[in-house]
Amino acid sequence: MTDGKRRRGLAAASALLGGVLVLSACSGGDDSGSGDGGNDTSQAQVDEAAAKKSSEAQIVITPKDGSNNASINNSATVKVSKGTLSEVKMTTTDGTAVSGEISADKKSWKPSVQLERATTYKVTATAEDSEGRAAHENASFTTVAPDNSFIGTFTPDDGTTVGVGMPVSINFDKAITNKAGVQKGVTVSTTSGQEVACHWFNANRMDCRPDEYWQEGATVTLKLALDGVEGAEGVYGVQQKTVTFKIGRNQVTYVDAKTKQMKVTQDGKTVRTIPISAGSPENKTYQGQMVISEKFKETRMNGATVGFTDDDGEGEYDIKDVPHAMRLSTSGTFIHGNYWGAKSIFGSVNTSHGCVGLQDAKGADDPNTPGAWFYDNSMIGDVVVVQNTGDKTIAPDNGLNGWNMSWEQWKAGSAV
């Protein structure tokens, strides 16, 4: 063998042996191997050290990252276990900050303002464990959109004092098909202990009342627990609210279109009798129990808005400063002051287009007129019972006038 061939042979043998050694090392070898076994032990020590450096604090953000149709009431809560919160930031996608508060024990956080519908929010939270090691969590979610949610506009308002006839009336901005589910989320109770039942007039309106008028001095509580309740397919409630109102003195007024006199009673006793002028024979006033739903010291009344027009389509009347007007129906029945009629008509002849008129002064600035007195001594929710007009009884849903249904009829309209 020449010297060149011998060198090439040794190189090949060396490469072959090297390959065997590499294969032997990759296959693990025996436990007595000196180099690579030591590297495994070193890596385990690194992993253990890294674990010891990780925070034990565990942060949970509700709702989960990427959620849609999130609640505007109960979303964006941040809680931590095995640690305490050190910082929470919440913003809208345009960077607007949302204020919030960390609890006294630093275990939770929530917004201090009402969230908006159809808005995407981002939450970042930092917490520390007992060793001071930090943990971080992030989430983004979108609240329920108006098209996918419903709200109920209710009356009376929180904290008000109303008359004994005032029902709780809720008008929903979406048609409700799951009436039972929604009604179960609405609770009305009274300190008088009276049973309260709810009645659906249609898919958008539900009123609640007791069998008889509310008891004087009672406190009524309305609870709306509608957050997340499916009112219709894909449409969810967003309200979570408690409202209380008080029942004032018991005042019921009786209007007699035949005698053309109005008797105002409190606790069943007559406190004043006032001459009136009701609807004319051609435009009779509705009969029945009506509830004052609005009060206006002065308001405009145009016949065109309630169907009284002349041949040119103009209103048969247009009075821009009707004094001391109180609404009794949605369709336009009022009990109000009248300064344009002669004083002689009150108590003697019915001349109106369907309203009940009381003698009054232009400008609503004379406190001594019957119209001013009745206005000053009336409140939202007072009952006005109109009798002997010769017209039909007002529809129960025309205003807040559900008292014109029997208790049995009323409860028959409940969904639960």
Side-chain angles (χ1 to χ4, degrees), residues 54-57 81-84 107 127-134:
S54 297
S55 177
E56 294 183 351
S81 58
K82 298 182 180 180
T84 56
K107 294 290 186 180
E128 295 181 351
D129 64 11
S130 59
E131 300 297 324
R133 295 170 295 195

Side-chain angles (χ1 to χ4, degrees), residues 215-259:
Q215 288 188 14
E216 177 180 350
T219 297
V220 181
T221 300
L222 164 65
K223 292 185 177 180
L224 299 173
L226 297 174
D227 189 52
V229 174
E230 190 170 21
E233 185 176 359
V235 180
Y236 299 88
V238 296
Q239 288 170 297
Q240 189 168 289
K241 191 176 185 65
T242 298
V243 173
T244 61
F245 59 93
K246 189 172 181 179
I247 306 302
R249 78 284 177 276
N250 185 329
Q251 178 169 301
V252 180
T253 298
Y254 297 88
V255 174
D256 190 329
K258 185 175 182 180
T259 65

Side-chain angles (χ1 to χ4, degrees), residues 62-63 70-77 111 114-115 141 227-228 238 240:
T62 303
S71 166
I72 63 172
N73 298 296
N74 300 319
S75 292
T77 58
Q114 176 75 62
L115 301 189
F141 64 89
D227 189 52
V238 296
Q240 189 168 289

